[in-house]
Amino acid sequence: MPLRLLRFALSKEHKEPRFFRERPELKDKYDAVIIGGGGHGLACAYYLARDHGITNVAVLEQGYIGGGNTGRNTTIVRSNYLTPEGVQFYDKSVKLFEELSEDLDINLFYSTRGHFTLAHNESSLRTMRWRAEVNKHYGIDSEVVDRQAVHEACPPLDLECGGQNPVMGALYHAPGSVVRHDAVAWGYGRGADERGVEIHQKTAVTDIKVEAGKVRGVQTNRGFIHTDTVISMVAGFTPRITSMVGIDTPIEIHPLQACVTEPMKPWLDSIIVSGSLHVYVSQSSRGELVMGASLDPATLHSTRSTLGFVEHLSDYMLDLFPFLSGIKVMRQWAGMADMTPDFAPIMGTTDIEGFYLDAGWGTWGFKATPVSGKTMAASVAAGRNDPLIEPFRLSRFADFQLVGERGAASIGH
Amino acid sequence: MKLLNCPHLGARPENEFTYGGEVRVQPDPDTSSDAQWADYVFNRQGRPGTHHEWWYHNPTGIWFIAERDTITDRFLRIELASPERLKEAGHG
């Protein structure tokens, strides 16, 4: 037993340092207020403090940190997107993730697995060749492989898929990884706290005060805060925040469900995705299969999960892996995904001075945690959009300049 | 299985229905500005509440306009799609 544990056993006071300080009072004024204490919000606070010296910052979280979509995703990190804008953005995120355990001094269990997106028909293969060429152009390790390569990487996978949807090949992305998502939030939270940022849990924003097109402050359930800068990083709650400042967006909320099986001995070391079968699956370091499927078809502001979801997912999982028929599903849950029409995020400045939006994270937000924090912090510090996020600005819809990323989404659609 | 209690068809399994999105009233393409058109094409009422929505019943091919609470997922009103109903439901 480590001595550290023994010390706790003998001590009446548990002095193990907390990840961040409990702040009893809200201050009257902050230089910046971040709404949402998930990965994105805490990462933004961390980079504001570390890279730009802006430390008089409050992160307001209505629940507890990392309790929203940061803790509800299937933890996959990859950069094999379809558009040049998306590929460069997510590539930066993967690079930040690879260094993040050391940067934050916390073991994130960052585990590079290799990521297979299966093709079951010619049109999927065609999109994959397209993706691979865009990826390679930007230096991303990404290639189309044949079904034999899939078999060698994952022998238990039934390449015939029960005869209905035989695997014809796959897009292989070697840097594809999984990472412990809670620790990403904790690590960023601790790093931000150490640099003076205040993290306030159970603090809900009820209104945002705007005067003459400028942000003046936020009303919370614990009182009013004066500030000229508000950054909304609330994923599925985005429409409630944007309606406080009167901004219209294309965002609609759909539940995205996921589940895990009981733990098994390790047998799956790669990440397997099939858009046609509405499945993505990896095996966690605890041995559970972490599985996701497709969005619920109708909008819903709820994190309820359904039997129908598990039935459909199991159906397709058994096409891929028939030997799992005796394995039990242990837990299921849902997150509220803030979907955009082009499957790309909405980031940066808005028509309201001092109001910044980091939203539209739909089903692709977790993997962007480091880069969104870094680029949003840079945009806030400079007062204009970082070049990397300029294509994702809210005004792209009014300009009819969409970033069509739908073909690179893992979720079924 | 979740049942949808439709006043026109009776109680039917919810998976017989397909969600068709929010009811929007199309502005006149000849007179609307680019901004109005972009607003119509892209922007949606994303916040929770009672939404007016298109729902399609696959077996019968009937389109409905429904009012649904998007927090509780309860249908409050289901009507056949008609020009009058469309006008009433439209926010535009």
Side-chain angles (χ1 to χ4, degrees):
Chain A
M1 181 192 289
L3 275 177
R4 201 166 68 129
L5 282 183
L6 196 62
R7 186 167 52 103
F8 282 125
L10 298 173
S11 152
K12 292 247 190 284
E13 291 174 34
H14 301 284
K15 288 265 172 82
E16 174 76 350
R18 307 287 300 180
F19 267 75
F20 58 94
R21 286 164 278 181
E22 290 286 343
R23 307 279 188 168
E25 299 291 336
L26 282 170
K27 286 199 288 198
D28 180 53
K29 190 175 188 322
Y30 294 94
D31 293 339
V33 167
I34 295 170
I35 310 175
H40 286 225
L42 295 164
C44 181
Y46 173 77
Y47 291 115
L48 271 177
R50 194 196 73 173
D51 295 353
H52 306 283
I54 301 171
T55 57
N56 184 25
V57 174
V59 178
L60 308 183
E61 167 54 52
Q62 65 174 349
Y64 55 93
I65 73 164
N69 292 353
T70 297
R72 296 168 188 271
N73 56 70
T74 48
T75 81
I76 296 166
V77 173
R78 64 184 174 92
S79 64
N80 57 348
Y81 274 73
L82 181 62
T83 65
E85 297 86 354
V87 169
Q88 293 174 80
F89 180 76
Y90 292 105
D91 179 44
K92 173 91 173 161
S93 208
V94 169
K95 291 194 168 108
L96 287 167
F97 256 126
E98 285 167 351
E99 307 289 322
L100 201 57
S101 285
E102 203 169 331
D103 189 4
L104 299 176
D105 192 21
I106 180 173
N107 188 353
L108 299 175
F109 292 6
Y110 189 83
S111 172
T112 300
R113 301 288 187 88
H115 182 283
F116 288 89
T117 311
L118 305 179
H120 304 268
N121 51 53
E122 282 292 345
S123 60
S124 299
L125 265 181
R126 181 186 161 276
T127 310
M128 284 173 193
R129 286 191 200 102
W130 176 10
R131 273 169 77 180
E133 291 310 314
V134 175
N135 293 166
K136 281 186 246 182
H137 184 73
Y138 289 99
I140 312 288
D141 190 349
S142 176
E143 59 180 326
V144 175
V145 297
D146 63 10
R147 55 192 253 139
Q148 187 57 31
V150 176
H151 174 69
E152 280 162 20
C154 186
L157 194 153
D158 177 9
L159 289 176
E160 295 305 316
C161 287
Q164 297 283 326
N165 295 288
V167 175
M168 298 176 70
L171 181 66
Y172 177 60
H173 179 47
S177 302
V178 289
V179 51
R180 192 174 154 220
H181 49 195
D182 304 311
V184 173
W186 300 334
Y188 274 124
R190 181 173 68 181
D193 177 82
E194 281 169 355
R195 288 164 177 81
V197 170
E198 295 186 11
I199 298 169
H200 292 277
Q201 301 187 107
K202 295 183 190 165
T203 306
V205 170
T206 54
D207 202 9
I208 299 171
K209 189 176 174 190
V210 177
E211 278 177 2
K214 292 182 183 176
V215 168
R216 287 293 175 226
V218 295
Q219 184 67 45
T220 76
N221 58 348
R222 296 170 57 202
F224 187 80
I225 302 169
H226 294 88
T227 185
D228 296 335
T229 303
V230 168
I231 311 150
S232 171
M233 312 184 93
V234 296
F237 288 85
T238 298
R240 302 183 207 207
I241 298 293
T242 49
S243 67
M244 292 176 191
V245 293
I247 290 179
D248 289 327
T249 75
I251 291 172
E252 288 191 295
I253 309 302
H254 291 257
L256 180 65
Q257 303 191 40
C259 62
V260 295
T261 65
E262 58 189 315
M264 281 168 272
K265 286 183 180 174
W267 62 270
L268 178 66
D269 55 5
S270 28
I271 302 162
I272 304 287
V273 176
S274 168
S276 305
L277 296 186
H278 310 277
V279 168
Y280 40 95
V281 57
S282 66
Q283 190 170 21
S284 76
S285 45
R286 278 194 298 231
E288 304 157 330
L289 293 183
V290 184
M291 304 179 288
S294 50
L295 283 172
D296 285 20
T299 65
L300 189 65
H301 295 258
S302 167
T303 52
R304 66 97 178 89
S305 192
T306 62
L307 178 63
F309 155 72
V310 176
E311 283 178 340
H312 282 116
L313 179 71
S314 305
D315 191 358
Y316 287 128
M317 272 300 288
L318 292 179
D319 282 350
L320 286 171
F321 303 108
F323 74 100
L324 291 177
S325 58
I327 296 296
K328 294 177 179 63
V329 170
M330 294 288 278
R331 296 187 303 283
Q332 62 179 102
W333 65 91
M336 282 156 45
D338 42 336
M339 299 301 294
T340 57
D342 55 0
F343 282 53
I346 298 174
M347 300 180 73
T349 55
T350 63
D351 285 343
I352 294 165
E353 196 180 327
F355 183 76
Y356 296 83
L357 203 51
D358 173 77
W361 286 111
T363 66
W364 48 88
F366 174 68
K367 68 177 72 64
T369 302
V371 74
S372 95
K374 200 166 173 73
T375 53
M376 287 300 295
S379 304
V380 168
R384 62 187 141 76
N385 284 345
D386 184 275
L388 213 48
I389 67 167
E390 180 62 16
F392 306 130
R393 68 197 185 281
L394 175 60
S395 59
R396 75 175 182 272
F397 298 101
D399 300 339
F400 296 95
Q401 291 182 340
L402 274 61
V403 185
E405 207 54 276
R406 191 180 186 122
S410 293
I411 55 146
H413 52 76
Chain B
M1 180 173 292
K2 193 166 171 177
L3 294 179
L4 206 159
N5 204 3
C6 175
H8 305 275
L9 301 169
R12 305 298 309 170
E14 197 193 28
N15 60 11
E16 287 186 2
F17 293 83
T18 299
Y19 172 69
E22 181 185 309
V23 173
R24 312 264 304 164
V25 173
Q26 180 182 311
D28 183 347
D30 294 328
T31 57
S32 61
S33 65
D34 285 355
Q36 285 169 326
W37 192 254
D39 175 63
Y40 163 67
V41 173
F42 297 117
N43 286 342
R44 295 291 180 270
Q45 190 207 331
R47 62 180 187 280
T50 301
H51 287 203
H52 292 86
E53 300 168 334
W54 292 102
W55 283 85
Y56 180 70
H57 186 242
N58 303 299
T60 58
I62 298 174
W63 278 103
F64 293 96
I65 292 178
E67 281 175 35
R68 187 174 61 102
D69 183 324
T70 60
I71 292 180
T72 61
D73 203 15
R74 285 191 186 281
F75 285 82
L76 308 173
R77 185 177 166 197
I78 303 175
E79 299 282 348
L80 293 170
S82 64
E84 298 75 39
R85 182 74 191 99
L86 183 57
K87 199 174 174 188
E88 183 195 351
H91 304 291

